[in-house]
Amino acid sequence: EPEVTQTPSHQVTQMGQEVILRCVPISNHLYFYWYRQILGQKVEFLVSFYNNEISEKSEIFDDQFSVERPDGSNFTLKIRSTKLEDSAMYFCASSATKSTDTQYFGPGTRLTVL
Amino acid sequence: GESVGLHLPTLSVQEGDNSIINCAYSNSASDYFIWYKQESGKGPQFIIDIRSNMDKRQGQRVTVLLNKTVKHLSLQIAATQPGDSAVYFCAEHFGNEKLTFGTGTRLTIIP
């Protein structure tokens, strides 16, 4: 069964450093998303991406964040200068043909900012 | 404002019994609702969804009920198994692309 994959599973970084979280969405999907989940809290939407551009973003997704689809398979989230409060699980998701299709989530990357 | 919340943070159910997990939402314009299951250290796993023009949908051992009058969503799991132990989230979608998640209910199946 096709699934969303994410790497790395755990990323530890120093405050102020840049990190890139990587995702491979399900191959025939067209909509891509990043969510995050701070420990013990609910999953929060960050950004959606379609047709090589951001289609929606939340107030969390400030200038420190960017997304890219550098090739036909990868979808990345970059945090330019990490802060302690960026520590969270980051989930990538994808959906098939329109935004109301089921969003399938990857296993997540745990980001720890020291 | 937008709000998706859950009535109970934890629920313990005897193995083999049925469980019901509830969710309240506040946006009457929401057009699509989803239940996700999240096991420890894993991403949300799709269980079942329902569109706003429906009031009931059944899957394998799961049923979702939607009551738009009181803005209430429930997930019924029949004949619970140890593997059903997880945190269950409801999520809603309204017009744009993001999902808004509730805070989650931790379901524990007692052997």
Side-chain angles (χ1 to χ4, degrees):
Chain A
E1 183 177 319
E3 58 183 17
V4 177
T5 59
Q6 292 184 241
T7 54
S9 57
H10 191 189
Q11 175 86 49
V12 181
T13 190
Q14 294 290 324
M15 188 171 56
Q17 295 296 304
E18 174 184 288
V19 294
I20 298 176
L21 309 183
R22 302 181 191 280
C23 169
V24 179
I26 294 173
S27 64
N28 61 342
H29 284 187
L30 300 178
Y31 286 81
F32 314 113
Y33 313 85
W34 283 101
Y35 291 80
R36 79 171 187 190
Q37 184 179 32
I38 295 171
L39 184 66
Q41 298 186 23
K42 60 185 179 181
V43 177
E44 300 175 287
F45 170 80
L46 293 178
V47 66
S48 59
F49 190 86
Y50 170 70
N51 199 26
N52 281 321
E53 59 184 25
I54 291 173
S55 49
E56 187 181 0
K57 60 182 180 180
S58 72
E59 60 275 9
I60 302 169
F61 194 89
D62 61 21
D63 292 344
Q64 295 299 313
F65 291 87
S66 62
V67 289
E68 191 178 28
R69 187 155 164 83
D71 52 45
S73 60
N74 291 283
F75 179 52
T76 62
L77 174 69
K78 180 191 292 186
I79 308 175
R80 186 159 54 237
S81 178
T82 51
K83 303 186 288 287
L84 295 176
E85 55 265 36
D86 293 329
S87 294
M89 284 289 289
Y90 287 81
F91 295 107
C92 174
S94 67
S95 62
T97 56
K98 60 185 187 297
S99 59
T100 50
D101 277 347
T102 301
Q103 295 183 22
Y104 293 92
F105 284 74
T109 292
R110 178 171 297 285
L111 176 64
T112 301
V113 183
L114 302 176
Chain B
E2 49 190 66
S3 172
V4 178
L6 294 169
H7 290 186
L8 296 173
T10 61
L11 178 65
S12 296
V13 175
Q14 205 73 36
E15 182 179 351
D17 287 352
N18 300 333
S19 67
I20 300 175
I21 301 171
N22 297 300
C23 176
Y25 65 95
S26 62
N27 195 321
S28 57
S30 294
D31 58 2
Y32 175 57
F33 303 87
I34 313 98
W35 280 101
Y36 285 94
K37 172 186 180 183
Q38 187 177 27
E39 297 174 282
S40 180
K42 297 184 178 180
Q45 177 189 354
F46 171 83
I47 302 173
I48 193 168
D49 59 4
I50 188 167
R51 308 254 170 215
S52 59
N53 60 353
M54 303 169 68
D55 52 24
K56 181 179 179 178
R57 191 163 188 222
Q58 288 185 288
Q60 187 178 15
R61 284 200 307 118
V62 294
T63 301
V64 55
L65 299 177
L66 175 63
N67 185 332
K68 293 183 287 292
T69 302
V70 295
K71 296 184 193 141
H72 183 268
L73 190 69
S74 68
L75 175 70
Q76 301 177 2
I77 305 174
T80 53
Q81 304 167 356
D84 294 330
S85 292
V87 177
Y88 290 80
F89 294 94
C90 64
E92 65 177 318
H93 175 278
F94 46 96
N96 44 26
E97 296 176 2
K98 68 178 183 181
L99 293 176
T100 299
F101 281 77
T103 52
T105 292
R106 180 173 299 281
L107 177 65
T108 301
I109 306 303
I110 304 166

